[in-house]
Short mmCIF file of all heavy atoms in Angstrom, two decimals:
data_model
loop_
_atom_site.label_atom_id
_atom_site.label_comp_id
_atom_site.label_asym_id
_atom_site.label_seq_id
_atom_site.Cartn_x
_atom_site.Cartn_y
_atom_site.Cartn_z
N LEU I 41 10.33 30.46 -11.06
CA LEU I 41 10.36 31.60 -10.14
C LEU I 41 11.76 32.21 -10.08
O LEU I 41 11.91 33.44 -10.08
CB LEU I 41 9.91 31.17 -8.74
CG LEU I 41 9.87 32.25 -7.67
CD1 LEU I 41 8.78 33.26 -8.01
CD2 LEU I 41 9.60 31.62 -6.32
N GLY I 42 12.79 31.37 -10.06
CA GLY I 42 14.17 31.87 -10.02
C GLY I 42 14.56 32.61 -11.28
O GLY I 42 15.25 33.63 -11.22
N VAL I 43 14.11 32.11 -12.43
CA VAL I 43 14.43 32.77 -13.70
C VAL I 43 13.69 34.10 -13.81
O VAL I 43 14.26 35.13 -14.21
CB VAL I 43 14.10 31.84 -14.89
CG1 VAL I 43 14.19 32.59 -16.21
CG2 VAL I 43 15.03 30.64 -14.89
N VAL I 44 12.42 34.11 -13.45
CA VAL I 44 11.63 35.34 -13.54
C VAL I 44 12.16 36.40 -12.57
O VAL I 44 12.29 37.57 -12.93
CB VAL I 44 10.13 35.04 -13.26
CG1 VAL I 44 9.34 36.32 -13.08
CG2 VAL I 44 9.55 34.21 -14.37
N ALA I 45 12.51 35.98 -11.36
CA ALA I 45 12.99 36.94 -10.36
C ALA I 45 14.49 37.21 -10.49
O ALA I 45 15.04 38.04 -9.76
CB ALA I 45 12.70 36.41 -8.96
N LYS I 46 15.15 36.52 -11.42
CA LYS I 46 16.59 36.64 -11.63
C LYS I 46 17.36 36.37 -10.34
O LYS I 46 18.41 36.95 -10.08
CB LYS I 46 16.95 38.00 -12.21
CG LYS I 46 16.39 38.19 -13.59
CD LYS I 46 16.95 39.43 -14.22
CE LYS I 46 16.44 39.53 -15.54
NZ LYS I 46 16.02 39.98 -16.50
N ALA I 47 16.81 35.47 -9.54
CA ALA I 47 17.48 35.01 -8.32
C ALA I 47 17.77 33.52 -8.54
O ALA I 47 16.96 32.65 -8.19
CB ALA I 47 16.60 35.23 -7.10
N TYR I 48 18.93 33.25 -9.12
CA TYR I 48 19.22 31.90 -9.58
C TYR I 48 19.55 30.93 -8.44
O TYR I 48 19.69 29.75 -8.67
CB TYR I 48 20.36 31.94 -10.60
CG TYR I 48 20.00 32.80 -11.80
CD1 TYR I 48 20.60 34.02 -12.02
CD2 TYR I 48 19.01 32.36 -12.67
CE1 TYR I 48 20.24 34.79 -13.11
CE2 TYR I 48 18.65 33.13 -13.76
CZ TYR I 48 19.26 34.35 -13.97
OH TYR I 48 18.90 35.12 -15.05
N PHE I 49 19.66 31.44 -7.23
CA PHE I 49 19.89 30.55 -6.09
C PHE I 49 18.60 29.87 -5.63
O PHE I 49 18.65 28.86 -4.93
CB PHE I 49 20.51 31.33 -4.92
CG PHE I 49 19.58 32.35 -4.32
CD1 PHE I 49 18.75 32.00 -3.26
CD2 PHE I 49 19.53 33.64 -4.80
CE1 PHE I 49 17.89 32.93 -2.70
CE2 PHE I 49 18.66 34.58 -4.26
CZ PHE I 49 17.83 34.21 -3.20
N ILE I 50 17.43 30.37 -6.03
CA ILE I 50 16.14 29.80 -5.59
C ILE I 50 16.00 28.34 -6.04
O ILE I 50 15.63 27.49 -5.23
CB ILE I 50 14.96 30.68 -6.05
CG1 ILE I 50 14.96 32.00 -5.28
CG2 ILE I 50 13.63 29.95 -5.83
CD1 ILE I 50 13.89 32.98 -5.71
N PRO I 51 16.29 28.00 -7.30
CA PRO I 51 16.18 26.59 -7.68
C PRO I 51 17.15 25.70 -6.91
O PRO I 51 16.81 24.57 -6.54
CB PRO I 51 16.52 26.57 -9.17
CG PRO I 51 16.27 27.95 -9.64
CD PRO I 51 16.55 28.83 -8.48
N LEU I 52 18.35 26.20 -6.62
CA LEU I 52 19.32 25.42 -5.86
C LEU I 52 18.83 25.17 -4.43
O LEU I 52 18.93 24.06 -3.91
CB LEU I 52 20.68 26.13 -5.85
CG LEU I 52 21.82 25.39 -5.18
CD1 LEU I 52 22.07 24.06 -5.88
CD2 LEU I 52 23.07 26.24 -5.17
N VAL I 53 18.30 26.21 -3.80
CA VAL I 53 17.75 26.06 -2.45
C VAL I 53 16.57 25.09 -2.47
O VAL I 53 16.44 24.22 -1.59
CB VAL I 53 17.32 27.44 -1.88
CG1 VAL I 53 16.53 27.29 -0.60
CG2 VAL I 53 18.54 28.31 -1.66
N GLY I 54 15.72 25.20 -3.49
CA GLY I 54 14.58 24.28 -3.62
C GLY I 54 15.03 22.84 -3.79
O GLY I 54 14.47 21.92 -3.18
N LEU I 55 16.07 22.64 -4.61
CA LEU I 55 16.59 21.30 -4.84
C LEU I 55 17.15 20.69 -3.55
O LEU I 55 16.87 19.53 -3.23
CB LEU I 55 17.66 21.33 -5.93
CG LEU I 55 18.25 20.00 -6.35
CD1 LEU I 55 17.16 19.11 -6.96
CD2 LEU I 55 19.37 20.19 -7.34
N VAL I 56 17.92 21.46 -2.81
CA VAL I 56 18.48 20.97 -1.55
C VAL I 56 17.37 20.68 -0.55
O VAL I 56 17.35 19.62 0.11
CB VAL I 56 19.49 21.99 -0.97
CG1 VAL I 56 19.89 21.62 0.45
CG2 VAL I 56 20.71 22.08 -1.87
N LEU I 57 16.41 21.58 -0.44
CA LEU I 57 15.30 21.40 0.49
C LEU I 57 14.48 20.17 0.13
O LEU I 57 14.17 19.33 1.00
CB LEU I 57 14.41 22.65 0.47
CG LEU I 57 13.19 22.62 1.38
CD1 LEU I 57 13.63 22.65 2.83
CD2 LEU I 57 12.27 23.79 1.07
N PHE I 58 14.15 20.00 -1.13
CA PHE I 58 13.37 18.83 -1.56
C PHE I 58 14.16 17.54 -1.39
O PHE I 58 13.60 16.50 -1.07
CB PHE I 58 12.90 18.99 -3.00
CG PHE I 58 11.89 20.07 -3.19
CD1 PHE I 58 11.82 20.76 -4.38
CD2 PHE I 58 10.99 20.41 -2.19
CE1 PHE I 58 10.87 21.77 -4.56
CE2 PHE I 58 10.05 21.40 -2.36
CZ PHE I 58 10.00 22.08 -3.55
N GLY I 59 15.47 17.60 -1.59
CA GLY I 59 16.31 16.41 -1.39
C GLY I 59 16.29 15.94 0.05
O GLY I 59 16.16 14.74 0.33
N VAL I 60 16.41 16.87 0.97
CA VAL I 60 16.38 16.52 2.40
C VAL I 60 15.01 15.97 2.79
O VAL I 60 14.92 14.94 3.47
CB VAL I 60 16.76 17.75 3.26
CG1 VAL I 60 16.51 17.50 4.74
CG2 VAL I 60 18.20 18.13 3.03
N VAL I 61 13.96 16.61 2.33
CA VAL I 61 12.61 16.14 2.64
C VAL I 61 12.37 14.76 2.02
O VAL I 61 11.79 13.88 2.65
CB VAL I 61 11.55 17.17 2.16
CG1 VAL I 61 10.14 16.59 2.26
CG2 VAL I 61 11.66 18.44 2.96
N PHE I 62 12.85 14.55 0.81
CA PHE I 62 12.69 13.26 0.14
C PHE I 62 13.37 12.14 0.93
O PHE I 62 12.82 11.06 1.12
CB PHE I 62 13.25 13.33 -1.29
CG PHE I 62 13.16 12.03 -2.02
CD1 PHE I 62 11.96 11.61 -2.56
CD2 PHE I 62 14.28 11.21 -2.15
CE1 PHE I 62 11.88 10.41 -3.25
CE2 PHE I 62 14.21 10.01 -2.82
CZ PHE I 62 13.00 9.60 -3.37
N LEU I 63 14.60 12.39 1.38
CA LEU I 63 15.32 11.38 2.17
C LEU I 63 14.59 11.08 3.48
O LEU I 63 14.49 9.92 3.90
CB LEU I 63 16.75 11.85 2.45
CG LEU I 63 17.68 11.89 1.24
CD1 LEU I 63 19.01 12.50 1.61
CD2 LEU I 63 17.85 10.50 0.65
N TYR I 64 14.06 12.10 4.12
CA TYR I 64 13.32 11.92 5.37
C TYR I 64 12.05 11.11 5.14
O TYR I 64 11.78 10.14 5.86
CB TYR I 64 12.99 13.29 5.98
CG TYR I 64 12.16 13.21 7.22
CD1 TYR I 64 12.72 12.79 8.42
CD2 TYR I 64 10.80 13.53 7.21
CE1 TYR I 64 11.95 12.70 9.57
CE2 TYR I 64 10.03 13.45 8.34
CZ TYR I 64 10.61 13.03 9.53
OH TYR I 64 9.84 12.94 10.66
N VAL I 65 11.29 11.47 4.13
CA VAL I 65 10.04 10.76 3.85
C VAL I 65 10.31 9.31 3.43
O VAL I 65 9.60 8.40 3.86
CB VAL I 65 9.23 11.51 2.76
CG1 VAL I 65 8.08 10.68 2.24
CG2 VAL I 65 8.71 12.82 3.33
N SER I 66 11.34 9.07 2.65
CA SER I 66 11.63 7.70 2.23
C SER I 66 12.06 6.85 3.42
O SER I 66 11.70 5.67 3.50
CB SER I 66 12.69 7.67 1.13
OG SER I 66 13.91 8.18 1.58
N ALA I 67 12.80 7.42 4.37
CA ALA I 67 13.18 6.67 5.58
C ALA I 67 11.95 6.33 6.42
O ALA I 67 11.83 5.21 6.93
CB ALA I 67 14.19 7.47 6.39
N ILE I 68 11.05 7.29 6.57
CA ILE I 68 9.83 7.05 7.35
C ILE I 68 8.98 5.97 6.68
O ILE I 68 8.50 5.04 7.34
CB ILE I 68 9.00 8.35 7.48
CG1 ILE I 68 9.73 9.37 8.32
CG2 ILE I 68 7.61 8.08 8.03
CD1 ILE I 68 9.57 9.20 9.80
N LEU I 69 8.78 6.09 5.36
CA LEU I 69 7.97 5.11 4.65
C LEU I 69 8.57 3.72 4.69
O LEU I 69 7.86 2.73 4.84
CB LEU I 69 7.77 5.54 3.19
CG LEU I 69 6.80 6.68 2.94
CD1 LEU I 69 6.82 7.08 1.48
CD2 LEU I 69 5.41 6.31 3.37
N LYS I 70 9.89 3.63 4.58
CA LYS I 70 10.54 2.31 4.62
C LYS I 70 10.34 1.65 5.97
O LYS I 70 10.04 0.46 6.06
CB LYS I 70 12.02 2.45 4.29
CG LYS I 70 12.72 1.12 4.16
CD LYS I 70 14.15 1.27 3.68
CE LYS I 70 14.76 -0.09 3.45
NZ LYS I 70 16.09 0.02 2.89
N GLY I 71 10.48 2.41 7.04
CA GLY I 71 10.25 1.87 8.38
C GLY I 71 8.82 1.42 8.57
O GLY I 71 8.56 0.35 9.14
N ASP I 72 7.88 2.23 8.09
CA ASP I 72 6.46 1.88 8.19
C ASP I 72 6.15 0.60 7.41
O ASP I 72 5.43 -0.27 7.89
CB ASP I 72 5.58 3.01 7.67
CG ASP I 72 5.51 4.19 8.62
OD1 ASP I 72 6.09 4.10 9.72
OD2 ASP I 72 4.88 5.20 8.25
N LEU I 73 6.67 0.52 6.20
CA LEU I 73 6.39 -0.66 5.37
C LEU I 73 6.99 -1.93 5.96
O LEU I 73 6.36 -2.99 5.90
CB LEU I 73 6.92 -0.44 3.95
CG LEU I 73 6.10 0.52 3.10
CD1 LEU I 73 6.84 0.85 1.82
CD2 LEU I 73 4.75 -0.07 2.79
N LYS I 74 8.17 -1.83 6.56
CA LYS I 74 8.77 -3.01 7.20
C LYS I 74 7.91 -3.47 8.37
O LYS I 74 7.66 -4.67 8.55
CB LYS I 74 10.19 -2.71 7.67
CG LYS I 74 11.22 -3.03 6.67
CD LYS I 74 12.58 -3.08 7.28
CE LYS I 74 13.49 -3.53 6.16
NZ LYS I 74 14.82 -3.76 6.54
N ALA I 75 7.47 -2.53 9.18
CA ALA I 75 6.64 -2.88 10.34
C ALA I 75 5.30 -3.47 9.89
O ALA I 75 4.84 -4.47 10.44
CB ALA I 75 6.42 -1.66 11.22
N LEU I 76 4.68 -2.84 8.90
CA LEU I 76 3.39 -3.32 8.43
C LEU I 76 3.49 -4.68 7.74
O LEU I 76 2.59 -5.51 7.88
CB LEU I 76 2.75 -2.31 7.48
CG LEU I 76 2.16 -1.07 8.12
CD1 LEU I 76 1.68 -0.09 7.06
CD2 LEU I 76 1.02 -1.43 9.06
N SER I 77 4.57 -4.91 7.02
CA SER I 77 4.68 -6.18 6.31
C SER I 77 4.77 -7.36 7.27
O SER I 77 4.32 -8.45 6.94
CB SER I 77 5.87 -6.16 5.36
OG SER I 77 7.08 -6.01 6.07
N THR I 78 5.33 -7.16 8.43
CA THR I 78 5.36 -8.24 9.42
C THR I 78 4.07 -8.29 10.23
O THR I 78 3.74 -9.35 10.77
CB THR I 78 6.55 -8.08 10.38
OG1 THR I 78 6.47 -6.81 11.02
CG2 THR I 78 7.86 -8.20 9.65
N ALA I 79 3.35 -7.19 10.31
CA ALA I 79 2.13 -7.15 11.13
C ALA I 79 0.87 -7.58 10.35
O ALA I 79 -0.13 -7.94 10.96
CB ALA I 79 1.91 -5.75 11.68
#
Side-chain angles (χ1 to χ4, degrees):
L41 181 66
V43 170
V44 169
K46 295 190 177 139
Y48 300 110
F49 67 91
I50 291 177
L52 184 60
V53 170
L55 184 63
V56 170
L57 179 68
F58 292 149
V60 170
V61 171
F62 178 78
L63 291 174
Y64 176 74
V65 168
S66 63
I68 293 277
L69 285 175
K70 186 173 185 175
D72 286 356
L73 286 170
K74 269 196 175 185
L76 285 175
S77 63
T78 57

